[in-house]
Amino acid sequence: MRLILASASPRRCELLGQIGVRPDMVDPADVDETPLKGELPGPYATRVAAEKAALVAARHPGALVLSGDTVVAAGRRILPKAEAEDEARACLSFLSGRRHRVLSAITLIDGEGRARHRLSANIVTFKRLEQAEIDAYIASEEWHGKAGGYAIQGRAAGLIRAIHGSHSAIMGLPLYETRALLKAAGYPLD
């Protein structure tokens, strides 16, 4: 049973390793991740994960295909995956002293083409950030390409007052849900 990871994220590969899973291949999916007009964060994350899996499954018939998407949301607002310093700075300023949600969606398509979806919803609370803390974090460049402009597995961990939910999901792959989907699909797990 071949497992294809439909993600360019090295973090997702590392996280899979924590549960003893090594994909046979990594085949990133390039899909348009622009939210649809009025699309809420949960349905958005689920849709993007499903589109990634479907695209890659079409290239690997008969294989298991796993994809994911992680979204940082404040209310109905979806924060960007920061690509520029000003975006990251705006995200961190906005999140300073606030609670927000991190939604991590996964899709697993089995060898018969059946798709299963899971969504892990988590709460993260940042401390009130001083300007010097934001400046230092921006200088680290860990924010680049990260939803909401931060990576919990790096320096941002020292700026987070509390999390409620799955640490692995906040990093980008909810391991409990992933393991359950793989097991249900008959993937051999230790």
Side-chain angles (χ1 to χ4, degrees):
M1 184 175 293
R2 292 182 66 228
L3 175 64
I4 312 298
L5 178 60
S7 175
S9 167
R11 188 81 52 233
R12 287 194 178 110
C13 227
E14 290 170 19
L15 287 165
L16 280 173
Q18 288 183 11
I19 58 171
V21 173
R22 290 184 185 240
D24 296 291
M25 175 185 276
V26 174
D27 185 3
D30 186 22
V31 300
D32 180 4
E33 295 189 27
T34 306
L36 302 174
K37 185 176 170 94
E39 191 170 29
L40 296 174
Y44 164 77
T46 301
R47 175 182 63 81
V48 171
E51 287 178 4
K52 290 176 183 178
L55 182 72
V56 173
R59 297 194 291 240
H60 303 278
L64 286 175
V65 175
L66 177 67
S67 68
D69 192 62
T70 301
V71 173
V72 172
R76 301 168 62 94
R77 181 176 173 182
I78 298 169
L79 275 67
K81 290 183 180 169
E83 296 297 334
E85 184 178 309
D86 61 331
E87 269 185 322
R89 192 175 293 281
C91 285
L92 291 171
S93 295
F94 179 76
L95 295 173
S96 175
R98 292 185 180 192
R99 289 173 25 156
H100 62 279
R101 290 176 299 145
V102 178
L103 304 166
S104 194
I106 56 170
T107 295
L108 181 70
I109 297 180
D110 67 19
E112 282 80 50
R114 288 183 301 253
R116 294 176 175 94
H117 314 279
R118 293 291 181 275
L119 180 66
S120 175
N122 310 276
I123 304 291
V124 176
T125 306
F126 266 89
K127 71 181 281 302
R128 186 163 307 283
L129 301 174
E130 298 170 14
Q131 190 59 48
E133 291 171 317
I134 293 174
D135 293 342
Y137 191 73
I138 294 299
S140 77
E141 296 194 10
E142 282 183 356
W143 53 266
H144 194 268
K146 303 294 189 290
Y150 74 93
I152 195 169
Q153 67 275 10
R155 294 173 187 228
L159 306 175
I160 293 171
R161 192 164 50 83
I163 67 167
H164 300 281
S166 166
H167 191 266
S168 68
I170 296 166
M171 287 176 61
L173 188 69
L175 291 179
Y176 175 81
E177 291 83 352
T178 299
R179 187 179 185 285
L181 285 184
L182 288 169
K183 190 170 182 175
Y187 187 81
L189 295 164
D190 293 336

